Each structure stands twice: as structure tokens, then as C-alpha cells.
């Protein structure tokens, strides 16, 4: 049987070393920039789910809650995310007998607050249960679910006390079904930064010009520069914060719960206050949002930058060409699709820097026998790993079982990539993420599941035939 997966692809010529030679004197400075936390999908009958010592929170979640159990390691606690099933509410349980109930509950709440900040939606704890078993509470609807595993690639770490309280207030504001009280929770975040009214006015004025959320912008345009004869910072404090927190008719601001007009006004103002609170968390307390990370030119290649050092990174951005030996990177890497099992064929690949030009480092990944070669690049300009599975690979068939198994692995890998897969480059020895690509999009519409199934069966037949031949030869 003739295999059909060979591709003829020539490698680029070797480049002469440019005159700019860099000494990575700040290589690997500081802690490795790991912004993830460990998440593991587990089976419903996993033995770890039967251990004693449980505290559980049952929630209504606007974040995408998983439909399968997951184990999350968070600050030394094991947290179990359990899906909503039938009448059962989604739940999160902690099992740790080394701490009391308050510490266990605090771990759950802190995790939920950070998750709420990452997603930008609320997670409301409906009820708590405790005891030696995972007693589940019942409730009806109102939850967002996802068949995809939870992703936490932007997990903030080493938060200050103020930042943690601010994020907790953010989750509270997002989770309350009462707009006036949500406003108070958002405004408390500003209050964390500045206690007095004058200081809060300055913070509000500072960030009003940065507001870009469409509903907030629309409301600001509607209010104008002097709503009700006040400045915008005064309006925010008096007509929003003071109106809800106090009941003083003599000062010309109030909130009447029975007045639909008052409720409607605060609902229109809420996007402004929410944006101000978000900007304070991001700018003043240093906790980036999902949007900040997406726009970042360092977040998705932070592992690479850590390896080469900041001085080399800056020189790459400034210079047309730099010496490839300046990029002191791991020699052995894994190429994976996020959330998918590692493929043996794409694990422990040798990595070599071919050249660095115009802010782009071209890398060659090869197997130990040199029959598999792939090209990928680190685009320092956009801050992304770039990998095109159609153009940038060469897989030669030498007739061995190993070559057939490699073709099977690659066939499955391409399918995972084509279905909007996110390619990642990992340091194989340290199991650390080096760089990540955007989700693959261009060929998604052309993916043929039936064609993929047939090619998988054909390649697997070659694998089995070669294994049988190898066994007979040994006999």
C-alpha cells in the first residue's frame, strides 16, 4: 500500500550572521510569567469526588460553566467544579480538612470573583452546603453552560489586598439583581482608591475620557457635560452614589424605589459606573482585563520573552535583523493544540532558530530522525506564534511503523487545528508555555469531517499493516 502523505518542501537558505550581536544579559530574569492555573477534566466516578470534608457553593453563573466535572488547583486548595444536572444547580466544592469552614469558603469565593473578572460576568452564590458528602442543592435555570473545558489563560496572580477586594466587589456588582445596589458596589471600588469625595471626583474625571463601552458612551452623550447643572463627576457621586446610599430630599438627589423613572435613570447610568470601576481595577490596581491581554504584544509570547530577556526583545523590535544566536531558547519543545492531548509525534521536537528579521523569528522544528520538519515563527510585532499547517511542514515516509504512526498523529493534529484550534509551543523539559497563536480560522469552512474520517481509517490501516509486517519479521 502506498502512503500519500509526503510533501516536498525545501528549507530556506542559511543566512549570514548580521553585524548586530546581542548578549542576553537579562535572560530568564525573575519568575517565569505563568498566568495560568491548573484545570483538569475528571470523570463523574473519580475517587477524589468521594473523599470527606466538603464545603460547597451552589451558584447561578453567567460565565460559561462546564458540563463535565473539573478539578482546579487554586492557591493550595482543590476546587471541584460540578455541572448543573436536571434540577441541580452548578456547584463548586472544596475538600480540605487542614482549614476551617471560613478559609474554605473564602477560597471558593476568591476563585469565583477572579473568574467573574476574567469573563466580565456575574457568579451568584445561591446557597451553601457542608458535610461529609457532596450534597447538591436544587434550583431552576438561569445558567450559562459550555461544552468546552474552562480556560484560564489570563489568571491574575500576586494580587494586592486592594485588588482582591476590588475584584470581589466587581463580582458582587455583576451578580446582584438590583441596579442601585450594583452601582454602590462598583463605586466602592473607586472608594478603595480614594476615601474622600474630592479624591473620588478626581478619579472619575481622570477616567471618563477613557470610557469606550457603547452603552456608556451613548449615556454620556445623552447627559452632556453638565447634567442637571452639575459636572459629570458631581453627577456620578450625587445622583448615583449618594442617591442610593442616603435618603436626604433637601440635597436634591434621591432614589425612590417606587418611582420607575428613578430606576430607569440608574439603569442607564450603570454602564458608566461599571466602566469606571473596571478602569480603576485595570489601571490603578494593575489587574488586566481579557481585552487588555488580547491587545497585549507580550502576553501570548511571554515565555519566549522570558527566555531571551527583555534587552534582546527590545533589540528585535528596533532592528531590521539580529543574530539568531542571540535567541537562547529551549532546544526541545512540544507543539500542541490547546485543550487536546499531546501527540507523541509532535512532542520532544528539536527547535532551531533559523533567522530573525523585521521583528520575526523563524523557527524550525524537527524530529530526531529528521523525517519530520515544520516551520513556525514568533512574530514579536504582533506578539503571537504563527503557524500555517498547510504550507510549513515536511513529513517523509521511510516505510517504517514510526513513519505511519507519525502520519496518523499529524492527520489528527491538522483536524484539530482546522477546527479553530489554538496552536501552542511548550518547553518540553520544563512543561512551560512559550508562545500561543490565534485560533486558526481560514480553512474552517472547508473542513470535511467525512473526508477526515476516511483518511484516518486509511492511515490507520497502514499503521496496522506495518505493525503486522514488523511482528512477522521478528518471528
Amino acid at each position: 500500500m502506498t502512503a500519500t502523505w509526503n510533501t516536498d518542501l525545501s528549507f530556506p537558505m542559511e543566512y549570514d550572521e548580521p553585524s548586530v550581536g546581542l548578549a542576553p544579559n537579562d535572560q530568564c530574569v525573575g519568575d517565569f510569567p505563568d498566568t495560568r492555573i491548573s484545570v483538569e477534566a475528571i470523570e463523574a466516578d473519580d475517587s477524589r469526588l468521594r473523599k470527606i470534608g466538603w464545603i460547597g457553593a451552589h451558584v447561578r453563573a453567567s460565565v460559561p460553566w462546564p458540563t463535565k466535572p473539573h478539578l482546579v488547583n487554586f492557591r493550595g486548595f482543590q476546587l471541584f467544579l460540578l455541572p448543573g444536572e436536571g434540577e441541580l444547580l452548578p456547584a463548586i466544592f472544596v475538600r480540605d480538612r487542614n482549614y476551617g469552614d471560613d478559609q474554605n469558603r473564602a477560597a471558593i469565593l476568591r476563585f469565583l470573583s477572579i473568574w467573574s473578572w476574567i469573563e466580565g460576568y456575574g457568579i451568584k452564590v445561591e446557597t451553601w452546603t457542608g458535610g461529609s458528602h457532596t450534597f447538591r442543592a436544587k434550583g431552576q435555570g438561569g445558567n450559562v453552560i459550555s461544552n468546552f473545558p474552562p480556560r484560564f489563560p489570563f489568571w491574575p496572580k500576586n494580587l494586592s489586598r486592594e485588588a482582591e477586594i476590588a475584584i470581589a466587589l466587581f463580582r458582587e456588582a455583576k451578580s446582584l439583581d438590583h441596579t442601585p445596589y450594583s452601582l454602590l458596589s462598583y463605586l466602592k471600588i473607586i472608594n478603595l482608591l480614594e476615601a474622600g469625595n474630592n479624591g473620588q471626583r478626581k478619579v472619575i474625571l481622570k477616567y471618563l475620557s477613557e470610557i469606550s463601552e457603547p452603552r456608556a458612551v451613548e449615556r454620556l452623550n445623552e447627559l452632556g457635560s453638565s447634567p442637571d447643572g452639575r459636572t459629570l463627576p458631581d453627577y456620578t457621586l450625587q445622583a448615583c452614589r449618594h442617591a442610593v446610599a442616603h435618603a436626604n430630599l433637601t440635597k436634591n438627589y434621591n432614589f425612590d424605589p417606587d418611582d420607575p423613572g428613578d430606576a430607569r435613570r440608574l439603569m442607564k447610568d450603570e454602564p458608566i459606573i461599571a466602566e469606571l470601576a473596571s478602569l480603576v481595577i485595570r489601571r490603578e490596581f494593575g489587574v488586566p482585563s481579557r481585552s487588555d491581554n488580547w491587545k497585549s504584544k507580550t502576553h501570548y509570547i511571554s515565555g519566549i520573552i522570558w527566555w531571551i530577556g527583555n534587552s534582546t526583545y527590545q533589540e528585535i523590535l528596533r532592528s531590521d535583523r539580529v543574530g539568531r544566536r542571540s535567541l537562547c531558547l529551549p532546544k526541545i519543545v512540544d507543539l500542541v493544540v490547546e485543550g487536546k492531548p499531546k501527540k507523541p509525534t509532535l512532542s520532544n521536537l528539536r527547535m532551531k532558530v533559523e533567522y530573525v528579521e523585521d521583528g520575526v523569528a523563524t523557527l524550525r522544528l524537527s524530529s530526531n530522525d529528521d523525517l519530520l520538519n515544520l516551520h513556525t515563527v514568533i512574530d514579536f510585532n504582533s506578539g503571537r506564534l504563527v503557524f500555517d499547517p498547510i504550507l510549513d511542514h515536511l513529513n517523509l515516509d521511510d516505510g517504517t511503523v514510526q513513519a505511519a504512526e507519525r502520519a496518523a498523529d499529524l492527520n489528527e493534529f491538522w483536524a484539530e487545528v482546522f477546527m479553530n484550534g489554538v496552536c501552542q509551543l511548550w518547553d518540553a523539559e520544563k512543561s512551560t508555555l512559550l508562545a500561543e497563536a490565534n485560533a486558526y480560522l481560514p480553512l474552517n469552512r472547508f473542513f470535511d469531517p467525512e473526508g477526515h474520517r476516511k483518511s484516518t481509517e486509511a492511515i490507520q490501516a497502514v499503521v496496522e499493516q506495518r505493525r503486522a509486517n514488523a511482528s512477522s519479521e521478528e518471528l
Side-chain angles (χ1 to χ4, degrees), residues 61-67 115 119 121 144-146 148-151 290:
S62 297
V63 301
W65 201 272
T67 55
W115 191 3
E119 296 293 341
Y121 296 103
V144 175
I145 61 174
S146 173
F148 295 97
R151 296 183 64 234
R290 179 186 291 276

Side-chain angles (χ1 to χ4, degrees), residues 436-449:
E436 183 174 298
N438 289 337
Y440 191 80
L441 294 174
L443 296 179
N444 183 52
R445 69 181 66 184
F446 301 119
F447 181 74
D448 178 9

Side-chain angles (χ1 to χ4, degrees), residues 369-398:
D369 57 11
D370 280 322
L371 295 180
L372 172 66
N373 284 274
L374 307 102
H375 275 86
T376 187
V377 305
I378 303 297
D379 186 346
F380 291 97
N381 303 302
S382 65
R384 293 296 192 277
L385 172 74
V386 182
F387 177 70
D388 191 328
I390 295 298
L391 300 177
D392 298 337
H393 74 279
L394 169 66
N395 181 35
L396 299 177
D397 180 20
D398 62 354

Side-chain angles (χ1 to χ4, degrees), residues 6-19:
N6 290 354
T7 304
D8 183 15
L9 184 69
S10 59
F11 290 111
M13 297 288 291
E14 287 292 333
Y15 281 71
D16 294 332
E17 286 299 309
S19 58

Side-chain angles (χ1 to χ4, degrees), residues 337-338 415-423 437-441:
V337 173
E338 182 194 36
E416 293 169 356
V417 171
F418 292 161
M419 297 300 288
N420 300 145
V422 174
C423 283
N438 289 337
Y440 191 80
L441 294 174

Side-chain angles (χ1 to χ4, degrees), residues 71-316:
L71 169 61
V72 180
N73 290 305
F74 172 69
R75 299 185 180 180
F77 291 85
Q78 286 188 322
L79 305 181
F80 294 85
L81 305 181
L82 303 183
E85 299 173 320
E87 296 182 343
L88 300 180
L89 287 168
I92 176 170
F93 281 83
V94 60
R95 173 176 54 80
D96 198 318
R97 287 176 289 176
N98 296 322
Y99 301 97
D101 285 359
D102 284 354
Q103 291 92 333
N104 288 331
R105 291 188 185 212
I108 288 176
L109 291 170
R110 195 67 70 196
F111 170 79
L112 293 179
S113 291
I114 297 176
W115 191 3
S116 174
W117 167 254
I118 290 171
E119 296 293 341
Y121 296 103
I123 308 175
K124 181 181 180 182
V125 175
E126 289 285 349
T127 187
W128 293 88
T129 58
S132 60
H133 295 85
T134 55
F135 179 77
R136 301 290 298 277
K138 294 182 179 180
Q140 294 296 325
N143 292 287
V144 175
I145 61 174
S146 173
N147 289 321
F148 295 97
R151 296 183 64 234
F152 302 121
F154 314 123
W155 199 263
K157 298 184 178 180
N158 302 320
L159 298 176
S160 67
R161 178 63 174 153
E162 291 83 0
E164 292 202 326
I165 295 175
I167 289 174
L169 290 168
F170 182 87
R171 179 182 64 84
E172 180 182 66
K174 288 287 184 182
S175 304
L176 290 171
D177 298 323
H178 193 277
T179 298
Y181 292 162
S182 291
L183 288 180
L184 284 184
S185 292
Y186 286 130
L187 287 163
K188 285 179 185 177
I189 294 171
I190 299 174
N191 201 79
L192 278 172
L193 190 63
E194 289 286 350
N197 287 342
N198 288 335
Q200 291 176 53
R201 287 187 182 93
K202 291 178 181 178
V203 173
I204 293 168
L205 183 61
K206 178 180 179 180
Y207 289 113
L208 277 173
S209 62
E210 290 195 39
I211 288 178
S212 59
E213 200 275 333
R215 294 176 303 155
V217 171
E218 181 181 0
R219 178 56 173 164
L220 284 172
N221 290 335
E222 181 181 337
L223 289 172
S225 59
S226 56
D228 298 330
R230 305 180 179 98
T231 65
L232 280 170
D234 279 342
Y235 175 85
T236 302
L237 285 177
Q238 296 172 10
C240 296
R241 183 181 185 276
H242 295 167
V244 177
H246 307 291
N248 191 333
L249 298 179
T250 64
K251 291 192 176 181
N252 197 30
Y253 50 79
N254 63 84
F255 166 68
D256 181 353
D258 290 341
D259 186 339
D262 280 357
R264 201 161 42 243
R265 176 180 64 81
L266 291 180
M267 288 179 66
K268 294 169 73 174
D269 291 339
E270 183 178 15
I272 299 174
I273 314 302
E275 271 284 277
L276 289 171
S278 174
L279 286 163
V280 168
I281 292 174
R282 292 154 58 193
R283 304 285 193 268
E284 303 292 342
F285 299 133
V287 188
S289 67
R290 179 186 291 276
S291 176
D292 292 331
N293 282 306
W294 178 254
K295 296 174 183 176
S296 169
K297 295 184 178 181
T298 60
H299 179 82
Y300 292 92
I301 58 171
S302 59
I304 291 285
I305 295 173
W306 181 81
W307 266 94
I308 66 176
N310 186 59
S311 63
T312 302
Y313 169 61
Q314 296 298 332
E315 189 63 32
I316 290 171

Side-chain angles (χ1 to χ4, degrees), residues 23-27 29 308 311-312:
N25 51 18
D26 61 346
Q27 182 188 17
V29 171
I308 66 176
S311 63
T312 302

Side-chain angles (χ1 to χ4, degrees), residues 17-18 20-25 27-28 301 303-309 311-317 321-331 351-357 359-364 376-380 425:
E17 286 299 309
V20 180
L22 303 177
N25 51 18
Q27 182 188 17
C28 305
I301 58 171
I304 291 285
I305 295 173
W306 181 81
W307 266 94
I308 66 176
S311 63
T312 302
Y313 169 61
Q314 296 298 332
E315 189 63 32
I316 290 171
L317 295 178
R321 291 174 62 188
V322 301
R324 58 189 175 91
R325 290 190 178 90
S326 299
L327 274 66
C328 299
L329 293 171
K331 304 298 183 185
M351 183 168 72
K352 179 181 179 181
V353 180
E354 298 229 309
Y355 56 94
V356 186
E357 190 172 27
V360 173
T362 299
L363 311 174
R364 181 171 69 183
T376 187
V377 305
I378 303 297
D379 186 346
F380 291 97
L425 192 66

